[in-house]
Amino acid sequence: MERDGLVIRRVKKVKKGGHHGGAWKIALADFALAMMAFFLVLWVINVSSPQQLAAIQGYFNDPMGPSTAGYSASPIDLGGSPAKSNQKKLDLQLPEPGSTAKPTKELKRDIGGGVKSEDQSEQQKEELAKKLESMDIIQANKDNIKIDITPMGVRITLLDDPRDPMFERGSARMMPDMVNTLLSMSRFFNKVSNPLVITGHTDATRYNDKSRLDNWDLSSMRANAARRILEEGGVKDGRIAQVIGLSDTVPYNRFNPDSPQNRRISITLLTDKAYKALLERNRLNYGPSAKQSEYDLKPQNVF
């Protein structure tokens, strides 16, 4: 606009940052839906048994369920409309699957003798301690032999001592004192029928020799060496439920990974309940793939 030689320019200003649509609302809704599904999965995992988890895992590994997998295209057979069951409800007071809560007096009696797991373990602990004391083993090695009651049963832990080592350094060859101790213990083990679990442990010091062995090999060889000595003492091979080498993954002295105490052998007398759980766990983890048809996964059984 021009007036008397004066030019006036009008500029229309546009405000920025206006409305851009509702895309953020869609993203928020997707996030909320994903979180709900995530917590639903966590809840299902928490309330399902190991057998049910195996069947559900098989479905997600192979949803279409070919004949070789053994799973159907439906993860859970609902058996019709999932109506609410008045007979079986979720017990929120149940321990978490796989937990190792301290045994209580309300534990069911084991099959075999009608003795509770905790009472049987306590009795075996006292008998073993008296047996070792009578043979002057506890007095001579009171700092190196520990007897504890665990959820699995009575555990005897033989700790290494640099002044009186159990094995030759970097070897699975036992010292004579260690051999005599295990042979003496085998006399007690022969008086009970509990299955045995033997575990070997090392410290965190890196071990290598010309054969390129490491702490995994060493812990496994030492556990097997202990097994052979117990069998020489009369323990039958069928009594051995498991022999494991754990390297330095489960330190006895977790504040000092290189502590000599971490070099040890543990022998556990399993309770009947713990032995059955071990067999079932091994079957699920290392046995053939389970079929969904083997499990009853109706809602009233799951929830």
Side-chain angles (χ1 to χ4, degrees):
M1 180 176 180
E2 184 174 349
R3 181 181 300 175
D4 299 333
L6 179 64
V7 178
I8 300 176
R9 179 179 297 175
R10 294 180 180 179
V11 179
K12 185 177 180 180
K13 295 184 178 180
V14 180
K15 294 183 179 180
K16 298 182 179 180
H19 180 67
H20 292 284
W24 66 272
K25 297 179 183 179
I26 298 176
L28 179 61
D30 290 342
F31 175 75
L33 181 61
M35 292 300 296
M36 182 182 69
F38 173 70
F39 285 111
L40 179 61
V41 170
L42 292 181
W43 176 72
V44 170
I45 291 176
N46 185 58
V47 300
S48 300
S49 67
Q51 294 87 351
Q52 294 161 353
L53 290 176
I56 295 173
Q57 178 186 2
Y59 165 77
F60 284 105
N61 287 339
D62 198 349
M64 299 309 296
S67 58
T68 57
Y71 299 97
S72 70
S74 176
I76 298 179
D77 183 8
L78 296 178
S81 177
K84 182 178 179 181
S85 172
N86 295 323
Q87 297 180 352
K88 295 185 178 181
K89 298 181 180 179
L90 177 63
D91 187 357
L92 297 178
Q93 302 301 321
L94 289 174
E96 296 182 359
S99 63
T100 55
K102 183 178 180 180
T104 62
K105 294 183 179 180
E106 289 76 16
L107 283 176
K108 295 182 179 179
R109 293 178 179 271
D110 282 339
I111 300 175
V115 181
K116 292 182 180 179
S117 298
E118 58 177 2
D119 296 337
Q120 183 186 37
S121 298
E122 186 66 35
Q123 181 180 1
Q124 290 178 344
K125 176 184 176 182
E126 294 177 358
E127 292 179 358
L128 178 60
K130 291 179 181 179
K131 185 70 175 178
L132 297 180
E133 286 177 1
S134 66
M135 294 182 290
D136 295 329
I137 293 179
I138 290 292
Q139 286 81 357
N141 305 277
K142 61 181 180 180
D143 296 329
N144 304 99
I145 297 181
K146 306 294 182 182
I147 304 176
D148 305 295
I149 296 180
T150 72
M152 294 184 65
V154 180
R155 182 183 64 201
I156 303 97
T157 304
L158 305 173
L159 304 172
D160 198 12
D161 186 349
R163 298 168 298 180
D164 187 17
M166 298 189 298
F167 296 88
E168 293 183 5
R169 185 170 182 82
S171 169
R173 185 175 302 171
M174 285 187 183
M175 294 297 189
D177 289 343
M178 176 67 172
V179 174
N180 293 333
T181 298
L182 289 177
L183 289 176
S184 300
M185 287 184 176
S186 63
R187 302 174 192 173
F188 171 79
F189 296 151
N190 291 331
K191 294 182 179 181
V192 296
S193 58
N194 304 64
L196 302 176
V197 170
I198 306 173
T199 58
H201 307 262
T202 65
D203 57 25
T205 303
R206 186 175 179 82
Y207 164 73
N208 282 303
D209 67 356
K210 296 180 180 179
S211 302
R212 302 181 67 180
L213 301 178
D214 55 20
N215 282 339
W216 287 105
D217 301 296
L218 185 61
S219 61
S220 300
M221 291 189 299
R222 289 180 172 179
N224 265 308
R227 173 188 61 82
R228 286 191 291 268
I229 296 300
L230 291 179
E231 290 178 351
E232 288 181 11
V235 177
K236 296 182 180 180
D237 179 70
R239 292 273 309 281
I240 309 298
Q242 205 168 45
V243 180
I244 313 172
L246 294 175
S247 185
D248 60 338
T249 58
V250 189
Y252 189 86
N253 185 348
R254 59 189 179 88
F255 299 104
N256 182 11
D258 295 326
S259 171
Q261 289 185 322
N262 294 329
R263 303 192 296 267
R264 66 194 191 279
I265 295 292
S266 294
I267 305 171
T268 303
L269 290 166
L270 296 178
T271 63
D272 184 73
K273 182 178 179 180
Y275 179 53
K276 291 179 180 178
L278 176 66
L279 293 179
E280 179 65 13
R281 186 166 61 249
N282 288 345
R283 187 184 70 83
L284 290 174
N285 291 337
Y286 313 115
S289 299
K291 295 183 179 180
Q292 182 180 338
S293 58
E294 296 179 2
Y295 308 116
D296 189 5
L297 296 180
K298 296 181 179 179
Q300 59 267 29
N301 296 327
V302 177
F303 308 125

